[in-house]
Amino acid sequence: MMGAMGRGDEDEFALEGGESVESATRDASRRRGVRGPGGSPWLWVTAAVALIAAGVAVSPGGERPAPRPPATAWTVQITEGRAPQVWAIEDQALVTTAAGVTAFDAATGDEVWSVPLADPSCTEADGELTCVHGEDQDATIAIVTAHGQTTEHVSPFANVAVAVGDALLVAGGTSSVHPWVDRYDPGETERTWRARLDYPLGEGRWARAILSQGVATFYTPMTDPETFVPMMAVDASTGELRPVVIPTPRGYLVGMNADVERNLDQLLPAAGPGLDLPEHPDAVLTTEGVLTAPEGDAVYSNGGSTVVAALRTDLLEWVFIPPEGPWEPSSPPDNLPGTFRRVDVTTGESIWSTPTESLVGCPCTINDTTAALITSNWSEAEAQFGVESIHGFDLDTGDAEWSIPLSRAPEAIASDDRHFYVLIDGAVTAYADR
């Protein structure tokens, strides 16, 4: 729950009863610049529950029984590689492993097909995977269909790639070559543009990519909250550097790379189908709410809540309720009560509100009936946050339907209309939704 974190001694904490180190509320008629200490090539902050709304009261409506774990349909063991991931596509669970991509039958867990690839990192778009496997000069991009058919071409020093319609964005770099992102338009073998950072990538490689609201974000997942990791975000059309926003179990990881305009909106890659507001067709979802584009006027201000999903005209968000009495932001209470709610963007009214005793964040997944989200809490004994469970919330009522205890955050979660798939500690488990 760190309000701001840089490299070295630039830590600030912003868990307050009212506003955070930076005000969590956007003026409805103005755009607000992004403040951050200079001098760091990888300036990044965590703004999760750290952006706190003023106290929000909610009526629990009576005690609810503790949700139980859902029924387990099947479990399979895999060997995790550098970028373990799972997707639900065409009655299959597609999984990346250290040895390639494997499809498992959604109903039984039986292997359907497998494509051998050398420790791939894959992204999904329109039911197909774009995978980069191999290293250095031998790095290769493979397009894998839902039926296991592949097409490949060599792409030296590529780390991860993501499809943008019929175009392709490829990110790469080496310990001695500054990281870059190239765009290749349909049918072209020469890149359209290259975006670069002025700082070396180090010994690691990009392992993940997110494409959301026209912004492509490349990063390597953190295994420790104090571990520095490189991140990069670009406009998928122009290559312009953008603020980095990555969902985590504790909220948003927000970063400002060098040369990024401080007044650029921090576009939020949330779960769900996205925004669809007929009166504001160009509206965008940011870490501070919904804005019209390109003017930037506020349609809906989240007031410091953590938005986890966009459901066309609605948002799913978690709001922290500060405890009574004084307390230190650097040492939060063990329980972090809040409200998980569904809000109509057009009116600002809550459709339902559910009290919680934990943070609610991602990795997460949404199907037609349920939102599956990570809950976590502060441990005073260990002086850090710990993941508690995956909670399944009913989209119509907000009720917590089921809960899966966790010892740490899963690598990935996916869902279809029958199952939720959880990838953690080298195991993929399918749970029945109801």
Side-chain angles (χ1 to χ4, degrees):
M1 219 152 30
M2 292 159 283
M5 179 182 292
R7 300 181 68 181
D9 58 358
E10 295 175 351
D11 291 6
E12 296 176 359
F13 294 86
L15 186 58
E16 306 287 351
E19 297 199 347
S20 60
V21 171
E22 286 188 76
S23 172
T25 305
R26 171 187 290 269
D27 186 295
S29 62
R30 293 184 300 148
R31 306 183 72 160
R32 181 173 63 79
V34 179
R35 183 185 69 81
S40 170
W42 302 94
L43 175 61
W44 57 284
V45 300
T46 301
V49 330
L51 298 181
I52 303 302
V56 179
V58 60
S59 173
E63 294 295 327
R64 296 184 175 94
R68 298 180 178 180
T72 299
W74 49 264
T75 298
V76 297
Q77 298 294 320
I78 66 165
T79 302
E80 293 184 352
R82 66 186 177 102
Q85 186 60 277
V86 60
W87 301 268
I89 302 174
E90 293 190 13
D91 295 323
Q92 302 171 119
L94 272 59
V95 182
T96 54
T97 73
V101 176
T102 300
F104 299 97
D105 184 274
T108 65
D110 295 336
E111 183 175 318
V112 180
W113 53 261
S114 185
V115 173
L117 301 173
D119 199 7
S121 174
C122 303
T123 59
E124 184 274 334
D126 298 326
E128 290 187 343
L129 302 186
T130 301
C131 302
V132 176
H133 64 108
E135 293 187 66
D136 300 329
Q137 291 283 359
D138 296 327
T140 301
I141 296 176
I143 308 300
V144 183
T145 72
H147 304 288
Q149 299 169 328
T150 63
T151 56
E152 295 188 300
H153 66 272
V154 176
S155 183
F157 301 106
N159 296 162
V160 63
V162 59
V164 184
D166 292 330
L168 190 66
L169 297 185
V170 182
T174 67
S175 59
S176 60
V177 176
H178 295 167
W180 42 262
V181 176
D182 290 343
R183 177 181 170 112
Y184 292 88
D185 284 330
E188 300 293 332
T189 57
E190 297 294 328
R191 63 175 181 253
T192 305
W193 48 251
R194 166 168 285 190
R196 298 185 60 152
L197 293 179
D198 293 332
Y199 310 98
L201 188 60
E203 296 301 323
R205 289 185 286 166
W206 304 120
R208 295 286 178 90
I210 303 172
L211 178 65
S212 176
Q213 301 192 96
V215 173
T217 303
F218 303 91
Y219 66 105
T220 297
M222 286 191 304
T223 57
D224 184 313
E226 300 293 339
T227 300
F228 163 74
V229 296
M231 302 175 289
M232 184 176 181
V234 299
D235 184 292
S237 296
T238 67
E240 176 189 11
L241 290 177
R242 299 285 308 191
V244 174
V245 182
I246 302 170
T248 79
R250 295 181 297 277
Y252 319 128
L253 184 64
V254 181
M256 303 294 294
N257 289 309
D259 300 326
V260 173
E261 293 282 343
R262 288 301 193 263
N263 64 348
L264 286 177
D265 291 317
Q266 298 171 358
L267 300 182
L268 176 62
L275 292 174
D276 184 8
L277 304 176
E279 294 185 3
H280 304 285
D282 295 327
V284 293
L285 177 62
T286 77
T287 56
E288 296 182 347
V290 178
L291 308 179
T292 59
E295 295 85 359
D297 293 332
V299 176
Y300 172 77
S301 177
N302 64 20
S305 67
T306 300
V307 176
V308 296
L311 309 177
R312 307 193 188 283
T313 60
D314 300 341
L315 298 178
L316 298 182
E317 61 182 19
W318 184 83
V319 182
F320 174 63
I321 300 178
E324 296 181 0
W327 56 287
E328 288 295 327
S330 60
S331 181
D334 281 343
N335 288 324
L336 296 169
T339 301
F340 183 53
R341 65 191 184 191
R342 181 169 181 167
V343 178
D344 185 326
V345 174
T346 60
T347 64
E349 297 180 354
S350 294
I351 298 172
W352 47 254
S353 297
T354 298
T356 69
E357 294 298 326
S358 309
L359 304 180
V360 173
C362 293
C364 49
T365 184
I366 311 290
N367 64 17
D368 291 339
T369 61
T370 309
L373 302 126
I374 302 293
T375 66
S376 58
N377 247 318
W378 175 261
S379 171
E380 183 67 31
E382 299 180 7
Q384 64 181 10
F385 283 95
V387 170
E388 293 182 328
S389 64
I390 304 174
H391 257 53
F393 294 91
D394 186 285
L395 290 179
D396 290 332
T397 66
D399 292 342
E401 298 289 338
W402 48 260
S403 179
I404 304 169
L406 295 174
S407 59
R408 68 179 186 86
E411 280 77 19
I413 307 175
S415 62
D416 53 30
D417 59 355
R418 293 179 296 173
H419 299 102
F420 284 88
Y421 307 93
V422 179
L423 172 54
I424 185 171
D425 292 333
V428 181
T429 302
Y431 295 95
D433 184 16
R434 298 288 179 176

